[in-house]
Amino acid sequence: MVLGAVGDAMGYKNGSWEFCRSGVAIHSEVEKLGGVSALNLTRRDFMVSDDTVLHIATAEALVSEWKDKETLYRTIAQKYIDGAKDMGGRAPGFTTLGGINMLRPKEKEGYRIPYTPSGGGCGAAMRSAPIGLRFYRPEQLEDLVAVAVESGRMTHNCPTGYLGSVATALFVSYSIQRRPINSWGKGLMDTLPVVWKYVETTGIDVQRNKKDWSYFEKGWAAYLTERNLMDGVSEPRFPEKYGPEERDQFYTSVSYDGWGGASGHDAPMIAYDALLGAGTSWEELCLRGVLHGGDNDSTGIIAGSCWGAMYGFEGVPEVNYKNLEYKDRLVTLGNDLYRATM
């Protein structure tokens, strides 16, 4: 919970780094500030963005008292409505706010909104890490899929959007399971039929979902082929030269419209790419998965959440998190989620 918010706040930097399109320029600024290990993430200079606010909202719903999925989904919807009141200066997405404004959690299935072909952004992927913390066991996969889909399409009711929610939650669950990172992509591809079965079973806009389904799947298949990971066991294949400029170019190439990490397919993809290349170095993770010229707070919250689930605070400079906005809330929610799994 905490390191996800660190990745968000670091990437966002009150908007100045999130909307900077040059990873090289961001890296230059980081060096002038003393490097990643010197970044003091205070609310004044590094407030959390909308990503963390809704990350918290998802967690709060998951640790509430709910007796069935309908109750949980309506609670999630209400928490998103509550979270939308805390968006001053946090650059919320238009699709996210538009979806939240349509939620009616006091009504049965009031968490559903109309199908949205343009809802392929990363707003669902950025907030679903707590789902992977709550439903991390392999035998809980169907629960993880159901909650990730339903919470995702509360604002991003399009496969590219809500499949991003599934990917983030799944990768966090893999982090806890200690699955080898090079197997995660294949695991995601193997999970897509499970997701489709759920979508068919719910019977909501099935044909429209079917029409728009392939973009996410094809994008991930192309990425995994590029990295030599379709088999889930090979070592990742990176270009010989893969610095900030080359990474920006690659992140742009896999994006929907030129802003790497802004969509449901590529936000978890860029975070995954960073995790593959970072090894056990928190600094390298940040340089690859947070401090780039794309939608870096969203990739940052995913990468940070996975790192925290795998390693905790190991290797993370205390200055990066000790003064983090909402840190106490995040710590409490992390503990509550852990207890909820017992």
Side-chain angles (χ1 to χ4, degrees):
M1 288 297 296
V2 175
L3 292 185
V6 168
D8 168 39
M10 187 184 295
Y12 183 55
K13 200 183 184 295
N14 293 3
S16 66
W17 285 352
E18 179 184 7
F19 300 110
C20 175
R21 294 299 184 97
S22 171
V24 173
I26 294 171
H27 281 219
S28 178
E29 286 191 47
V30 172
E31 288 177 11
K32 291 176 182 177
L33 293 171
V36 171
S37 62
L39 295 180
N40 183 7
L41 272 57
T42 64
R43 188 191 188 286
R44 186 191 68 181
D45 298 320
F46 291 90
M47 70 189 302
V48 301
S49 80
D50 61 315
D51 298 32
T52 294
V53 172
L54 296 179
H55 172 79
I56 287 172
T58 303
E60 287 179 339
L62 288 167
V63 300
S64 67
E65 294 184 7
W66 49 275
K67 62 182 183 298
D68 52 39
K69 293 281 187 12
E70 173 77 12
T71 303
L72 174 60
Y73 299 152
R74 291 167 69 174
T75 302
I76 293 173
Q78 183 60 58
K79 291 295 183 180
Y80 290 166
I81 291 171
D82 295 342
K85 300 172 185 175
D86 183 20
M87 291 298 176
R90 304 191 194 278
F94 292 115
T95 302
T96 296
L97 289 182
I100 289 173
N101 286 335
M102 288 189 276
L103 298 173
R104 299 291 182 269
K106 293 183 180 179
E107 302 173 10
K108 185 178 180 181
E109 296 192 356
Y111 50 86
R112 298 194 189 280
I113 66 170
Y115 188 81
T116 313
S118 60
C122 65
M126 73 189 190
R127 63 178 188 249
S128 66
I131 299 169
L133 295 174
R134 176 61 181 83
F135 303 107
Y136 71 88
R137 295 183 175 90
E139 62 268 26
Q140 295 176 308
L141 178 62
E142 291 186 359
D143 288 327
L144 181 150
V145 165
V147 178
V149 169
E150 295 298 352
S151 65
R153 60 186 181 183
M154 288 180 195
T155 58
H156 291 71
N157 193 7
C158 169
T160 305
Y162 65 72
L163 287 174
S165 175
V166 173
T168 296
L170 189 68
F171 289 170
V172 171
S173 77
Y174 287 167
S175 300
I176 299 174
Q177 294 171 25
R178 299 297 189 267
R179 281 186 58 153
I181 299 175
N182 59 346
S183 73
W184 294 7
K186 184 178 187 301
L188 172 61
M189 298 298 283
D190 291 344
T191 300
L192 292 180
V194 179
V195 184
W196 178 247
K197 180 180 178 181
Y198 177 80
V199 172
E200 277 194 311
T201 301
T202 62
I204 306 296
D205 297 311
V206 175
Q207 291 306 311
R208 300 187 76 176
N209 277 279
K210 186 175 183 179
K211 177 178 178 291
D212 295 331
W213 186 264
S214 65
Y215 181 80
F216 184 99
E217 188 170 18
K218 288 179 179 178
W220 266 92
Y223 167 76
L224 293 172
T225 300
E226 173 80 11
R227 287 286 176 265
N228 192 40
L229 293 173
M230 281 296 286
D231 62 3
V233 295
S234 298
E235 291 301 310
R237 179 177 57 212
F238 285 100
E240 186 174 337
K241 185 180 181 184
Y242 199 50
E245 183 175 0
E246 292 76 24
R247 290 195 294 270
D248 276 357
Q249 292 171 355
F250 180 71
Y251 297 168
T252 298
S253 76
V254 300
S255 70
Y256 175 73
D257 62 357
W259 194 22
S263 298
H265 74 292
D266 62 344
M269 184 184 292
I270 290 171
Y272 181 52
D273 199 67
L275 288 157
L276 284 166
T280 57
S281 170
W282 166 257
E283 180 177 2
E284 188 67 19
L285 179 77
C286 293
L287 293 174
R288 289 171 176 255
V290 184
L291 302 167
H292 60 82
D295 193 352
N296 50 20
D297 59 341
S298 297
T299 62
I301 198 168
I302 299 168
S305 294
C306 290
W307 180 280
M310 285 190 290
Y311 305 118
F313 293 107
E314 182 180 345
V316 182
E318 187 179 10
V319 69
N320 287 171
Y321 60 85
K322 70 176 181 180
N323 296 313
L324 179 70
E325 184 182 15
Y326 294 151
K327 177 190 161 191
D328 290 345
R329 289 176 69 185
L330 291 156
V331 169
T332 297
L333 285 167
N335 289 331
D336 289 346
L337 281 166
Y338 176 74
R339 282 192 289 271
T341 66
M342 303 304 285

